Amino acid sequence: MARDLGEGVLRGLHVLEYPYKRSLGPVLGPFFTALREQRILGIRTRTGRVLVPPAEYDPETGEALDELVPVGPGGQIVSWCWVARPRQKQPLPHPFAFALIRLDGADSALLHAVDAGEESRLRTGARVRPRWAEEPQGGIRDLACFELAE
Amino acid sequence: MGDADPVKAIVTPVRLEYQCSAGRAATRFLRGLAQRKILGARSRPGEPVYVPPRGADPRTAELTEEMVEVSDRGTVVTYSIVRVPSENIKLELPYVCINVLLDGAGIPFFHVLQNCPLEEVRIGMRVRAVWVPDAELAPAVTSIRYFEPLGEPDVPFEEIEEHT
């Protein structure tokens, strides 16, 4: 509801929200199904690279891909960015890092949250391991976040 | 969802929260709605009345400082039948969204139509606003619950063609 500011001009909250439901298809469907079972899948290209998250088509050649392979669960931080003041819908309620994580056995990096406590504990190359959601829902948040492994 | 079923879809909500200032022109329009008045604005007599007002005439950029009350009755100039639900319009499906040219206004106004069988909605149909009870009046478009058929003869297409 609009409220009155001192100068008499109305001001109010305007929420724009789209609750999209996306169908996943033959590659991301198995990826999220495995995630619910605390397993992470990548996909192997014809040249032997393993992409995580898995892509339906090789981004270099356009070839259709279907060879899903297990990766991780551990990995290392390729790049990261500290989130000092998390927003309401972000993965963690306290300060954390968004990071690109290359899982063991993968050649590409997955974007996810790292719960590191404080920024000074983070570094490129740090080992991480997944923390799984207590009640999987079938989505990326079944992998709640990563945490530092050592 | 049982754990044996494969995951075939995920929900990926997009949500943006804005703190909107209505500005001076729309503030006067919204305050009018709290008094059962639909206020437009024009740059001077003879020029189109814009409803809701945005503060300036979009053709000439002249300020539209003269507030003009328009009727809460008007003519349907376009419509659309809505068959998918949305969070902010909680009406029984299907329902009809209309662009209604209010009597005295220079541009159509967007709202919903009720109390009208779908097959009877048509361009040129005369309609009127149905307001909420006094206790629920507020500076918001929701002060108008909906529009409904007025039962008057249709307006010929030629008279509203530029708005369709």
Side-chain angles (χ1 to χ4, degrees):
Chain A
M1 179 56 62
R3 63 194 167 84
D4 206 336
L5 295 181
E7 65 272 36
V9 171
L10 292 169
R11 200 173 161 82
L13 180 67
H14 178 71
V15 176
L16 183 63
E17 185 169 28
Y18 298 101
Y20 291 118
K21 188 172 188 182
R22 300 179 53 175
S23 65
L24 294 169
V27 170
L28 286 174
F31 171 76
F32 282 104
T33 303
L35 214 55
R36 191 177 56 190
E37 298 159 0
Q38 304 191 351
R39 295 183 296 117
I40 306 173
L41 296 180
I43 202 160
R44 197 188 310 275
T45 71
R46 195 69 60 86
T47 57
R49 296 182 75 229
V50 175
L51 309 177
V52 183
E56 283 188 37
Y57 297 93
D58 187 327
E60 289 173 6
T61 66
E63 282 177 299
L65 302 175
D66 60 5
E67 191 188 348
L68 289 162
V69 293
V71 295
Q76 64 177 6
I77 293 175
V78 175
S79 177
W80 55 275
C81 172
W82 189 248
V83 181
R85 288 194 298 268
R87 290 171 177 270
Q88 197 183 355
K89 298 278 182 176
Q90 287 183 331
L92 293 165
H94 49 264
F96 67 97
F98 273 122
L100 287 171
I101 296 157
R102 184 159 57 234
L103 294 161
D104 297 340
D107 294 288
S108 67
L110 173 76
L111 177 68
H112 215 302
V114 177
D115 189 3
E118 45 189 271
E119 187 176 3
S120 61
R121 299 185 63 207
L122 282 164
R123 61 184 169 81
T124 299
R127 294 286 302 167
V128 293
R129 62 176 171 238
R131 181 191 300 161
W132 300 100
E134 288 179 13
E135 293 180 17
Q137 306 288 322
I140 192 64
R141 289 195 175 184
D142 288 358
L143 204 178
C145 62
F146 285 84
E147 54 194 24
L148 296 172
E150 57 208 35
Chain B
M1 182 172 61
D3 274 5
D5 301 324
V7 180
K8 290 182 175 171
I10 53 171
V11 177
T12 57
V14 173
R15 182 184 170 94
L16 298 168
E17 291 186 10
Y18 295 96
Q19 278 292 334
C20 282
S21 168
R24 278 188 300 156
T27 289
R28 293 159 94 178
F29 166 76
L30 292 168
R31 291 200 193 289
L33 291 174
Q35 301 170 0
R36 295 178 188 268
K37 290 180 182 175
I38 303 176
L39 296 177
R42 64 185 172 191
S43 56
R44 57 178 171 274
E47 292 299 300
V49 175
Y50 294 99
V51 186
R54 298 296 186 211
D57 187 320
R59 300 169 311 160
T60 63
E62 284 181 283
L63 295 179
T64 52
E65 307 233 66
E66 184 193 349
M67 302 302 289
V68 180
E69 183 179 351
V70 301
S71 176
D72 67 354
R73 300 178 174 207
T75 305
V76 173
V77 294
T78 60
Y79 64 90
S80 181
I81 295 173
V82 180
R83 299 179 188 276
V84 292
S86 72
E87 280 295 312
N88 57 341
I89 302 181
K90 296 190 189 299
L91 295 174
E92 191 178 333
L93 293 173
Y95 62 88
V96 184
C97 281
I98 55 170
N99 257 335
V100 52
L101 185 65
L102 298 169
D103 297 344
I107 56 167
F109 179 73
F110 180 81
H111 218 284
V112 297
L113 180 69
Q114 298 273 272
N115 300 336
C116 179
L118 292 185
E119 58 274 17
E120 291 182 17
V121 187
R122 59 200 181 271
I123 290 171
M125 182 183 211
R126 295 285 293 161
V127 295
R128 69 172 160 214
V130 175
W131 298 81
V132 297
D134 280 355
E136 294 172 31
L137 284 170
V141 182
T142 48
S143 286
I144 299 173
R145 292 174 65 194
Y146 51 78
F147 281 75
E148 68 178 6
L150 188 48
E152 291 180 353
D154 284 9
V155 173
F157 181 73
E158 298 72 40
E159 293 180 24
I160 52 173
E161 186 174 4
E162 67 171 309
H163 298 289
T164 60

mmCIF file of all heavy atoms in Angstrom, chain B residues 49-69:
data_model
loop_
_atom_site.group_PDB
_atom_site.id
_atom_site.type_symbol
_atom_site.label_atom_id
_atom_site.label_comp_id
_atom_site.label_asym_id
_atom_site.label_seq_id
_atom_site.Cartn_x
_atom_site.Cartn_y
_atom_site.Cartn_z
ATOM 1 N N VAL B 49 -7.031 14.591 -22.641
ATOM 2 C CA VAL B 49 -6.903 14.360 -21.193
ATOM 3 C C VAL B 49 -6.253 12.991 -21.007
ATOM 4 O O VAL B 49 -6.782 11.979 -21.465
ATOM 5 C CB VAL B 49 -8.286 14.400 -20.515
ATOM 6 C CG1 VAL B 49 -8.150 14.045 -19.032
ATOM 7 C CG2 VAL B 49 -8.924 15.773 -20.689
ATOM 8 N N TYR B 50 -5.097 12.976 -20.347
ATOM 9 C CA TYR B 50 -4.372 11.725 -20.135
ATOM 10 C C TYR B 50 -4.764 11.112 -18.796
ATOM 11 O O TYR B 50 -4.732 11.776 -17.771
ATOM 12 C CB TYR B 50 -2.857 11.964 -20.201
ATOM 13 C CG TYR B 50 -2.429 12.368 -21.589
ATOM 14 C CD1 TYR B 50 -2.209 13.703 -21.914
ATOM 15 C CD2 TYR B 50 -2.308 11.410 -22.586
ATOM 16 C CE1 TYR B 50 -1.851 14.073 -23.203
ATOM 17 C CE2 TYR B 50 -1.946 11.776 -23.868
ATOM 18 C CZ TYR B 50 -1.721 13.099 -24.173
ATOM 19 O OH TYR B 50 -1.373 13.462 -25.461
ATOM 20 N N VAL B 51 -5.162 9.839 -18.840
ATOM 21 C CA VAL B 51 -5.573 9.116 -17.637
ATOM 22 C C VAL B 51 -4.861 7.759 -17.616
ATOM 23 O O VAL B 51 -5.042 6.975 -18.534
ATOM 24 C CB VAL B 51 -7.096 8.845 -17.629
ATOM 25 C CG1 VAL B 51 -7.509 8.228 -16.300
ATOM 26 C CG2 VAL B 51 -7.870 10.106 -17.901
ATOM 27 N N PRO B 52 -4.082 7.406 -16.638
ATOM 28 C CA PRO B 52 -3.657 8.289 -15.549
ATOM 29 C C PRO B 52 -2.660 9.318 -16.042
ATOM 30 O O PRO B 52 -1.963 9.082 -17.034
ATOM 31 C CB PRO B 52 -3.002 7.319 -14.559
ATOM 32 C CG PRO B 52 -2.694 6.099 -15.329
ATOM 33 C CD PRO B 52 -3.590 6.044 -16.503
ATOM 34 N N PRO B 53 -2.584 10.461 -15.357
ATOM 35 C CA PRO B 53 -1.687 11.520 -15.809
ATOM 36 C C PRO B 53 -0.237 11.195 -15.489
ATOM 37 O O PRO B 53 0.057 10.561 -14.480
ATOM 38 C CB PRO B 53 -2.153 12.742 -15.014
ATOM 39 C CG PRO B 53 -2.750 12.180 -13.780
ATOM 40 C CD PRO B 53 -3.338 10.840 -14.149
ATOM 41 N N ARG B 54 0.678 11.600 -16.367
ATOM 42 C CA ARG B 54 2.111 11.356 -16.145
ATOM 43 C C ARG B 54 2.875 12.656 -15.952
ATOM 44 O O ARG B 54 4.095 12.637 -15.833
ATOM 45 C CB ARG B 54 2.699 10.597 -17.330
ATOM 46 C CG ARG B 54 2.087 9.240 -17.556
ATOM 47 C CD ARG B 54 2.369 8.307 -16.394
ATOM 48 N NE ARG B 54 1.893 6.959 -16.670
ATOM 49 C CZ ARG B 54 1.463 6.123 -15.750
ATOM 50 N NH1 ARG B 54 1.403 6.509 -14.480
ATOM 51 N NH2 ARG B 54 1.063 4.923 -16.059
ATOM 52 N N GLY B 55 2.164 13.773 -16.007
ATOM 53 C CA GLY B 55 2.839 15.042 -15.730
ATOM 54 C C GLY B 55 3.105 15.874 -16.970
ATOM 55 O O GLY B 55 3.299 17.076 -16.872
ATOM 56 N N ALA B 56 3.145 15.224 -18.133
ATOM 57 C CA ALA B 56 3.421 15.973 -19.360
ATOM 58 C C ALA B 56 2.678 15.320 -20.524
ATOM 59 O O ALA B 56 2.315 14.140 -20.462
ATOM 60 C CB ALA B 56 4.918 16.010 -19.645
ATOM 61 N N ASP B 57 2.446 16.115 -21.560
ATOM 62 C CA ASP B 57 1.819 15.596 -22.773
ATOM 63 C C ASP B 57 2.899 14.871 -23.575
ATOM 64 O O ASP B 57 3.891 15.496 -23.964
ATOM 65 C CB ASP B 57 1.230 16.766 -23.572
ATOM 66 C CG ASP B 57 0.413 16.285 -24.760
ATOM 67 O OD1 ASP B 57 0.853 15.313 -25.422
ATOM 68 O OD2 ASP B 57 -0.654 16.853 -25.023
ATOM 69 N N PRO B 58 2.751 13.564 -23.814
ATOM 70 C CA PRO B 58 3.839 12.823 -24.476
ATOM 71 C C PRO B 58 4.092 13.277 -25.909
ATOM 72 O O PRO B 58 5.164 12.991 -26.450
ATOM 73 C CB PRO B 58 3.348 11.371 -24.437
ATOM 74 C CG PRO B 58 1.876 11.454 -24.241
ATOM 75 C CD PRO B 58 1.616 12.716 -23.475
ATOM 76 N N ARG B 59 3.138 13.997 -26.533
ATOM 77 C CA ARG B 59 3.357 14.452 -27.913
ATOM 78 C C ARG B 59 4.152 15.747 -27.964
ATOM 79 O O ARG B 59 4.937 15.973 -28.866
ATOM 80 C CB ARG B 59 2.018 14.673 -28.619
ATOM 81 C CG ARG B 59 1.157 13.426 -28.696
ATOM 82 C CD ARG B 59 -0.231 13.824 -29.167
ATOM 83 N NE ARG B 59 -0.701 14.959 -28.352
ATOM 84 C CZ ARG B 59 -1.663 15.795 -28.711
ATOM 85 N NH1 ARG B 59 -2.277 15.630 -29.863
ATOM 86 N NH2 ARG B 59 -2.020 16.778 -27.919
ATOM 87 N N THR B 60 3.903 16.619 -26.975
ATOM 88 C CA THR B 60 4.492 17.962 -27.047
ATOM 89 C C THR B 60 5.459 18.239 -25.908
ATOM 90 O O THR B 60 6.160 19.249 -25.938
ATOM 91 C CB THR B 60 3.372 19.011 -26.968
ATOM 92 O OG1 THR B 60 2.733 18.888 -25.675
ATOM 93 C CG2 THR B 60 2.344 18.792 -28.065
ATOM 94 N N ALA B 61 5.448 17.365 -24.880
ATOM 95 C CA ALA B 61 6.272 17.545 -23.684
ATOM 96 C C ALA B 61 5.816 18.731 -22.838
ATOM 97 O O ALA B 61 6.490 19.091 -21.878
ATOM 98 C CB ALA B 61 7.758 17.670 -24.013
ATOM 99 N N GLU B 62 4.664 19.341 -23.176
ATOM 100 C CA GLU B 62 4.141 20.410 -22.323
ATOM 101 C C GLU B 62 3.656 19.815 -21.002
ATOM 102 O O GLU B 62 3.120 18.698 -20.971
ATOM 103 C CB GLU B 62 2.937 21.072 -22.994
ATOM 104 C CG GLU B 62 3.292 22.002 -24.129
ATOM 105 C CD GLU B 62 2.018 22.620 -24.712
ATOM 106 O OE1 GLU B 62 1.319 21.899 -25.460
ATOM 107 O OE2 GLU B 62 1.727 23.770 -24.389
ATOM 108 N N LEU B 63 3.790 20.557 -19.941
ATOM 109 C CA LEU B 63 3.269 20.101 -18.649
ATOM 110 C C LEU B 63 1.748 19.999 -18.719
ATOM 111 O O LEU B 63 1.091 20.821 -19.359
ATOM 112 C CB LEU B 63 3.673 21.071 -17.540
ATOM 113 C CG LEU B 63 5.164 21.175 -17.250
ATOM 114 C CD1 LEU B 63 5.411 22.199 -16.146
ATOM 115 C CD2 LEU B 63 5.722 19.818 -16.847
ATOM 116 N N THR B 64 1.220 18.961 -18.071
ATOM 117 C CA THR B 64 -0.242 18.816 -18.006
ATOM 118 C C THR B 64 -0.670 19.124 -16.579
ATOM 119 O O THR B 64 -0.874 18.225 -15.775
ATOM 120 C CB THR B 64 -0.669 17.390 -18.423
ATOM 121 O OG1 THR B 64 0.090 16.452 -17.647
ATOM 122 C CG2 THR B 64 -0.414 17.136 -19.893
ATOM 123 N N GLU B 65 -0.782 20.381 -16.283
ATOM 124 C CA GLU B 65 -1.037 20.792 -14.903
ATOM 125 C C GLU B 65 -2.519 20.943 -14.596
ATOM 126 O O GLU B 65 -2.890 21.088 -13.442
ATOM 127 C CB GLU B 65 -0.316 22.101 -14.604
ATOM 128 C CG GLU B 65 1.166 22.007 -14.950
ATOM 129 C CD GLU B 65 2.074 22.407 -13.817
ATOM 130 O OE1 GLU B 65 2.075 21.690 -12.800
ATOM 131 O OE2 GLU B 65 2.758 23.430 -13.960
ATOM 132 N N GLU B 66 -3.359 20.955 -15.640
ATOM 133 C CA GLU B 66 -4.788 21.115 -15.375
ATOM 134 C C GLU B 66 -5.425 19.741 -15.139
ATOM 135 O O GLU B 66 -5.506 18.922 -16.050
ATOM 136 C CB GLU B 66 -5.488 21.804 -16.557
ATOM 137 C CG GLU B 66 -6.948 22.074 -16.266
ATOM 138 C CD GLU B 66 -7.744 22.467 -17.514
ATOM 139 O OE1 GLU B 66 -7.130 22.730 -18.567
ATOM 140 O OE2 GLU B 66 -8.979 22.491 -17.435
ATOM 141 N N MET B 67 -5.862 19.503 -13.908
ATOM 142 C CA MET B 67 -6.501 18.228 -13.596
ATOM 143 C C MET B 67 -7.947 18.263 -14.086
ATOM 144 O O MET B 67 -8.645 19.265 -13.911
ATOM 145 C CB MET B 67 -6.472 17.945 -12.095
ATOM 146 C CG MET B 67 -5.078 17.911 -11.481
ATOM 147 S SD MET B 67 -3.961 16.691 -12.217
ATOM 148 C CE MET B 67 -4.673 15.166 -11.612
ATOM 149 N N VAL B 68 -8.389 17.170 -14.687
ATOM 150 C CA VAL B 68 -9.743 17.086 -15.229
ATOM 151 C C VAL B 68 -10.361 15.777 -14.759
ATOM 152 O O VAL B 68 -9.783 14.712 -14.958
ATOM 153 C CB VAL B 68 -9.721 17.104 -16.777
ATOM 154 C CG1 VAL B 68 -11.135 17.016 -17.330
ATOM 155 C CG2 VAL B 68 -9.012 18.346 -17.298
ATOM 156 N N GLU B 69 -11.514 15.872 -14.123
ATOM 157 C CA GLU B 69 -12.185 14.634 -13.722
ATOM 158 C C GLU B 69 -12.899 14.050 -14.932
ATOM 159 O O GLU B 69 -13.634 14.754 -15.621
ATOM 160 C CB GLU B 69 -13.193 14.895 -12.593
ATOM 161 C CG GLU B 69 -13.840 13.597 -12.117
ATOM 162 C CD GLU B 69 -14.829 13.792 -10.970
ATOM 163 O OE1 GLU B 69 -14.894 14.915 -10.429
ATOM 164 O OE2 GLU B 69 -15.524 12.822 -10.637
#
